[in-house]
Amino acid sequence: MLSYILFSLLLHTAMCQETKPNFVVILTDDQDITLGGMTPMKNVQRFIEREGTSFANSYVTSPICCPSRASLLTGLHVHNHLTWNNSIAGGCYGRYWKRLESRTFANILKSIGYNTFYAGKYLNNYGAKDAGGTTLVPPGWSEWHGLVGNSVYYNYTISNNGVPTHSTDLYLTDIIRDLSVAYIENQTESQPFLMVLAPPAPHQPFTPAPRHKDAYSNLTAVKHPNFNIPATGKHWLLQMPPSPLPETMMPELDRVYRSRWESLLSVDEMVADVVETLDSNNLLDNTYLIYTSDNGYHIGQFAQVYDKRQPYEADIKVPLIIRGPNIGKNITNNQPVLNIDLAPTILELAGLTAPKSMDGKPIKFNIDKDMERNMLVEYYGEGRDGTVDPECPWIYDKDNLAQCYPQYDCKCQDAKNNTYACLRHISKRINMKYCAFADEQNFKEMYDLSTDPYELDNIIDEVLPSVRHWYKLTLTQMLSCKGADNCDNPLENPKLYSIF
């Protein structure tokens, strides 16, 4: 009898040790942090931030949706997953990506018994005819509700486990909320689950739910010292006229700013409903909640209109908050983190060892400071026919420019040679950024953010040649790094390759 009791205790202990945690990842679209983008998220602050850890130095590998999302899913830098931009030709749901999908963290968790659920925007060209169509369900997801194409709020198609369903008048964020709540209500403690919820907010066209329209009617765009100033010392694209923007453009910037906040209110409500449902089903205590965005956003900085795609903090820095078992509560962690770290972090929290092929590394929740890191940011510019309006004076160069519209005063937001790589270098004493552009000027930019947080002064010609050389060499090495050990110690790799 005693031996049976002992065996039962040992078996119970072993089963408890094998209990896997659940994961809920909330991935917003274009949500900044430097311009106050987290301010309207009162429920996120209450249920995740105060109950978890916020990361003050969280960055993305690319300030554009598709490459950044590919990095988050695979733990790979852009030069390794080869999703260069938002087009199929640029790798966004192209042939090479389909070969990589079996290496996402979702596929790994599913292979060890996780139920996996996805709802919302995936990669920008998911569902396109040339990318396999709407019946294609990406590997790794046992329940799939993928948005076809880019973020919208109405008049969209969702692939429900490979069955396309069109809606014209149902607000997309609310649909994602309803699907998520229903899924959680059908889960039990006996089988772990992963959920990724990817609402469209606050992506353009910044459409709030009707109940939130005009919630911030008196709000105006934040005006930091870099707001609507001439782009002195910046690469050529930022210097396109008009610079500064005319006063007639200011009401539009204000509209965009407040509409973004209003569109996020439905996401905030969704978070509260998800947390409440987890709690009422006794699942919350064993669930990690991860809140982040695919990239940031600028509104008027350096006399740019509103978009992303640039190497400055507004575009590359994102919110990252994690709550869950053994995670410190109401803590701000200053260690430098990239979105490629989320895949290996989730796998480690699930009791697995991340594949050595991943470029990211697991976040160390017990380390707050004194961590030095060189983080790589890549962007490969697009020039696309059809995105230069015929009314704009540069229609003659339509194959090399992109995102040029009259409502932007014909100021283009992208170009083929808006191609760059940046080294974001953070340590206890260092807060630097070094960027190299692949343009005719081989333009370079460098900022000391410890004294110049708004990146006003390009110091590339003021630092010692030896310092410039070190940053150039380190950046060049990182552009060919593979694997976390190599990407974390780039100068140990003798291979040199760069287009910059």
Side-chain angles (χ1 to χ4, degrees):
M1 181 67 178
L2 182 62
S3 61
Y4 177 80
I5 294 174
L6 181 60
F7 173 77
S8 298
L9 288 171
L10 290 172
L11 180 60
H12 176 73
T13 301
M15 291 175 66
C16 289
Q17 289 175 343
E18 292 176 358
T19 300
K20 298 291 187 183
N22 310 308
F23 298 92
V24 177
V25 180
I26 299 106
L27 177 63
T28 56
D29 198 348
D30 292 359
Q31 186 174 9
D32 70 273
I33 192 167
T34 65
L35 305 184
M38 285 298 294
T39 304
M41 314 305 291
K42 305 305 180 186
N43 290 320
V44 174
Q45 295 166 25
R46 177 184 175 187
F47 295 118
I48 304 181
E49 183 176 329
R50 294 176 195 166
E51 299 294 326
T53 296
S54 301
F55 293 86
N57 290 307
S58 171
Y59 291 85
V60 294
T61 56
S62 187
I64 193 70
C65 303
C66 206
S68 178
R69 288 167 181 255
S71 286
L72 186 150
L73 289 163
T74 61
L76 296 176
H77 277 298
V78 176
H79 64 267
N80 288 329
H81 62 58
L82 305 186
T83 299
W84 305 108
N85 55 46
N86 283 347
S87 67
I88 295 178
C92 184
Y93 223 80
R95 291 182 180 179
Y96 189 73
W97 169 254
K98 292 174 185 176
R99 292 166 52 190
L100 283 180
E101 277 189 308
S102 61
R103 293 166 56 182
T104 65
F105 69 84
N107 206 60
I108 295 172
L109 291 183
K110 187 171 183 287
S111 71
I112 64 166
Y114 269 75
N115 285 328
T116 56
F117 171 97
Y118 198 104
K121 176 178 172 178
Y122 186 54
L123 302 188
N124 295 49
N125 275 295
Y126 168 76
K129 183 178 179 180
D130 292 343
T134 57
T135 60
L136 179 66
V137 176
W141 305 103
S142 49
E143 184 164 336
W144 174 255
H145 304 282
L147 176 67
V148 175
N150 204 358
S151 283
V152 289
Y153 299 82
Y154 294 104
N155 197 23
Y156 53 82
T157 297
I158 291 180
S159 173
N160 292 304
N161 296 317
V163 179
T165 304
H166 188 75
S167 175
T168 58
D169 56 357
L170 297 176
Y171 192 69
L172 179 56
T173 302
D174 291 348
I175 294 301
I176 295 171
R177 177 200 61 200
D178 294 345
L179 290 167
S180 305
V181 168
Y183 183 80
I184 294 170
E185 288 174 340
N186 287 317
Q187 301 308 300
T188 66
E189 298 178 55
S190 63
Q191 187 171 10
F193 60 87
L194 160 72
M195 302 177 71
V196 177
L197 316 181
H203 192 282
Q204 194 172 9
F206 332 110
T207 307
R211 62 188 179 276
H212 298 136
K213 184 174 174 54
D214 296 327
Y216 294 105
S217 58
N218 296 322
L219 190 68
T220 58
V222 66
K223 295 175 177 61
H224 291 150
N226 57 10
F227 180 81
N228 200 27
I229 62 171
T232 305
K234 304 292 187 289
H235 65 109
W236 76 269
L237 184 63
L238 266 72
Q239 298 182 39
M240 289 187 74
S243 184
L245 298 171
E247 282 299 314
T248 54
M249 178 62 73
M250 297 303 107
E252 172 66 1
L253 299 188
D254 292 339
R255 182 196 68 82
V256 168
Y257 189 82
R258 61 176 171 264
S259 295
R260 283 168 55 82
W261 279 29
E262 290 169 357
S263 72
L264 282 165
L265 291 176
S266 58
V267 178
D268 199 47
E269 291 175 348
M270 179 187 75
V271 169
D273 290 343
V274 165
V275 172
E276 181 182 357
T277 309
L278 288 168
D279 192 26
S280 62
N281 286 272
N282 299 315
L283 297 168
L284 182 59
D285 289 344
N286 193 39
T287 299
Y288 290 97
L289 289 106
I290 301 172
Y291 187 95
T292 192
S293 177
D294 56 2
N295 48 258
Y297 209 72
H298 61 256
I299 303 175
Q301 285 62 51
F302 306 113
Q304 294 299 286
V305 189
Y306 47 88
D307 197 46
K308 50 262 186 174
R309 297 179 171 87
Q310 300 303 329
Y312 311 109
E313 295 292 278
D315 291 18
I316 66 173
K317 193 171 186 178
V318 294
L320 175 61
I321 315 170
I322 303 178
R323 166 191 174 162
N326 302 314
I327 301 295
K329 294 185 177 183
N330 203 21
I331 290 174
T332 298
N333 190 304
N334 293 310
Q335 69 175 293
V337 176
L338 271 171
N339 62 341
I340 54 172
D341 299 333
L342 290 179
T345 297
I346 289 170
L347 294 178
E348 183 172 86
L349 291 173
L352 304 175
T353 300
K356 291 185 177 180
S357 59
M358 285 188 174
D359 301 326
K361 58 183 183 179
I363 295 170
K364 303 301 180 185
F365 292 93
N366 60 339
I367 297 177
D368 179 30
K369 52 188 176 181
D370 299 342
M371 287 188 64
E372 181 171 6
R373 191 171 188 186
N374 298 296
M375 297 183 288
L376 176 64
V377 178
E378 302 171 73
Y379 183 75
Y380 298 84
E382 289 185 79
R384 290 184 292 170
D385 189 12
T387 64
V388 181
D389 194 279
E391 295 183 22
C392 293
W394 1 95
I395 186 65
Y396 66 90
D397 203 17
K398 63 183 180 180
D399 292 331
N400 294 311
L401 297 171
Q403 309 295 323
C404 315
Y405 303 114
Q407 62 265 35
Y408 290 168
D409 274 332
C410 288
K411 190 161 191 170
C412 302
Q413 301 303 300
D414 203 8
K416 279 186 177 178
N417 66 357
N418 181 39
T419 293
Y420 58 81
C422 295
L423 194 68
R424 189 68 177 88
H425 184 193
I426 297 177
S427 72
K428 183 178 181 180
R429 297 180 178 85
I430 298 171
N431 193 7
M432 302 289 289
K433 181 185 292 180
Y434 172 88
C435 297
F437 290 80
D439 57 18
E440 294 178 357
Q441 298 174 300
N442 292 316
F443 200 78
K444 306 291 191 297
E445 296 184 27
M446 193 170 185
Y447 302 96
D448 183 351
L449 283 92
S450 61
T451 59
D452 180 23
Y454 298 107
E455 300 168 280
L456 302 174
D457 301 315
N458 182 1
I459 61 171
I460 191 66
D461 294 324
E462 300 173 19
V463 298
L464 293 172
S466 58
V467 174
R468 287 199 302 269
H469 178 72
W470 184 89
Y471 277 101
K472 178 181 178 180
L473 179 63
T474 304
L475 178 62
T476 301
Q477 294 284 19
M478 292 200 72
L479 281 165
S480 62
C481 74
K482 293 182 182 294
D485 290 341
N486 185 244
C487 291
D488 212 34
N489 301 285
L491 292 183
E492 295 181 6
N493 176 18
K495 180 181 177 182
L496 284 171
Y497 168 75
S498 178
I499 64 172
F500 297 94

